[in-house]
Amino acid sequence: MESRVIIDTSILIDLFRKTDKANSALIALVKQGYVYSISAITEYEIYTGAKLEQSDF
């Protein structure tokens, strides 16, 4: 059985801001075997908080 976690906005922001993505909290979770999801609220927060040039992710 897989372990699933819900990723919060702070984990995604950590990933987006790091130049070395391998040191982000999300990558650490994936390396530990977790499967992740995000909620609709987190998706909304990311899209509304992104600058125009960042909204193409």
Side-chain angles (χ1 to χ4, degrees), residues 3-54:
S3 297
R4 185 169 293 272
V5 293
I6 296 178
I7 300 300
D8 192 13
T9 309
S10 59
I11 300 294
L12 291 175
I13 290 170
D14 174 63
L15 176 71
F16 296 149
R17 288 187 176 167
K18 292 215 188 244
T19 15
D20 184 9
K21 306 292 186 202
N23 289 327
S24 71
L26 179 58
I27 299 302
L29 288 170
V30 170
K31 285 181 179 178
Q32 292 175 31
Y34 287 96
V35 175
Y36 66 92
S37 300
I38 65 169
S39 70
I41 294 169
T42 299
E43 183 178 6
Y44 174 79
E45 289 173 342
I46 292 297
Y47 280 120
T48 57
K51 296 177 185 169
L52 186 58
E53 63 271 9
Q54 296 171 320

